[in-house]
Amino acid sequence: MGEINDYSYNIASAEKTIRLIELLAETDGELSVLQIAKRLDTHSSSADRFLITLQNLGYAEKDEHTGKYRLTDRLLKIASNLVTSHPLTVRYLDVMHTLAYTFNTTTHIMAFYGLSTITIHKDLQTQNISYNNAFFDPKRQHYCSAPGKLLLSTLPEDSLSEYLSNLKFIKYTNKTIVSEKELRENLELIREVGYSVHDEEWLNGCLTVAFPLRVYGQIKGAMSMMCSIDRKDEILSRRTLADIKRMLIEPEI
């Protein structure tokens, strides 16, 4: 039986199919057969067969006016099923709602995948549109985000160094971390105390605290709690932090 990372066992057609699905998902709008063939580095007739197969299975559809292909909502259904059965959903969804109500905060469950933080659930108790919209701004970097810094604190040194080598620090506020030394010191503090804080580092007036979520003891995501900065002393009090950590102990499944 082949090892997971032994790529000699990969089936080329399966690889190309997955890459095709990823390509269609990553692209705004639609792609033609020729565009897809070029990006997949394959002949147009081969790309056409892959597309027809996906179309026959209900995963892609062709616009009869433009001749271009796009993904169908069948993948949304698969994604919905994945979120419903996700280990973080099973373990922490009820806790998220309890935390949001108890502490009157906008609360999110974030899954970690590589260098991505993926929001899979949210409870918008804090009805502040600027906070809620800003939370999902795709331009925000991990170094000025509570869940982002928590993710960075879990990376092995080689992955962290690679991230830092490609990072351009931008000073969004007077509290934004703008040096590798300062960021590394903050990440070490996160590992020590077991949570991460966004203290107006990206958005003035906003406090966010992120706590690790574990699956079988391994950190797989974060519970992120967001509120107004004027509640900083309350949320970061020793008692409140201890209460939240206690609620986030991984349940036995």
Side-chain angles (χ1 to χ4, degrees):
M1 183 175 179
E3 297 295 328
I4 292 177
N5 292 324
D6 185 350
Y7 296 106
S8 65
Y9 281 85
N10 287 6
I11 301 173
S13 59
E15 281 187 344
K16 193 157 292 186
T17 301
I18 295 299
R19 180 60 193 128
L20 173 55
I21 292 173
E22 291 176 342
L23 179 61
L24 290 170
E26 292 165 0
T27 307
D28 292 335
E30 306 163 331
L31 290 175
S32 68
V33 174
L34 290 177
Q35 289 172 317
I36 292 169
K38 182 177 180 179
R39 299 193 189 194
L40 292 180
D41 192 24
T42 189
H43 195 274
S44 59
S45 62
S46 177
D48 192 47
R49 289 196 299 271
F50 279 101
L51 286 164
I52 291 173
T53 301
L54 288 179
Q55 187 177 17
N56 290 339
L57 293 174
Y59 290 98
E61 60 186 8
K62 183 179 181 180
D63 188 313
E64 296 302 326
H65 298 289
T66 65
K68 295 183 178 182
Y69 286 84
R70 59 176 174 265
L71 294 176
T72 69
D73 289 349
R74 183 164 185 172
L75 282 172
L76 290 179
K77 184 176 185 302
I78 292 176
S80 177
N81 292 340
L82 175 61
V83 169
T84 299
S85 61
H86 196 286
L88 294 182
T89 300
V90 174
R91 287 164 172 78
Y92 299 107
L93 182 59
D94 291 345
V95 179
M96 181 196 73
H97 292 305
T98 300
L99 286 170
Y101 179 79
T102 301
F103 298 100
N104 191 29
T105 58
T106 286
T107 307
H108 303 78
I109 292 178
M110 320 282 292
F112 292 164
Y113 179 76
L115 275 174
S116 298
T117 57
I118 305 166
T119 301
I120 61 174
H121 296 289
K122 59 181 177 285
D123 189 324
L124 303 180
Q125 288 289 329
T126 304
Q127 296 302 318
N128 184 308
I129 295 176
S130 63
Y131 290 178
N132 294 337
N133 288 343
F135 191 88
F136 299 101
D137 192 308
K139 296 180 181 180
R140 181 172 55 170
Q141 294 284 341
H142 287 324
Y143 68 88
C144 53
S145 155
K149 288 191 294 181
L150 184 63
L151 169 61
L152 294 178
S153 74
T154 70
L155 297 180
E157 177 55 35
D158 57 343
S159 298
L160 178 59
S161 295
E162 182 179 357
Y163 169 81
L164 291 171
S165 68
N166 297 311
L167 177 61
K168 178 183 178 181
F169 286 99
I170 299 173
K171 192 170 183 63
Y172 294 103
T173 75
N174 63 359
K175 292 187 176 182
T176 306
I177 292 175
V178 289
S179 73
E180 179 176 336
K181 179 178 182 295
E182 187 181 2
L183 178 57
R184 284 186 174 276
E185 289 174 350
N186 192 256
L187 297 181
E188 186 58 39
L189 177 63
I190 292 168
R191 298 184 191 103
E192 179 182 337
V193 301
Y195 61 91
S196 174
V197 177
H198 163 274
D199 183 4
E200 296 186 290
E201 295 163 46
W202 187 79
L203 184 65
N204 285 320
C206 178
L207 173 74
T208 308
V209 188
F211 300 85
L213 298 180
R214 291 177 169 83
V215 176
Y216 297 122
Q218 300 295 313
I219 297 176
K220 295 296 184 179
M223 184 76 75
S224 180
M225 303 172 64
M226 181 174 61
C227 63
S228 172
I229 194 65
D230 60 17
R231 298 182 60 198
K232 179 178 178 180
D233 290 343
E234 171 199 351
I235 297 297
L236 296 183
S237 69
R238 182 176 300 180
R239 178 176 179 177
T240 299
L241 292 172
D243 288 344
I244 295 171
K245 286 182 177 181
R246 186 163 48 251
M247 294 173 70
L248 291 175
I249 294 174
E250 181 185 357
E252 294 184 4
I253 299 298

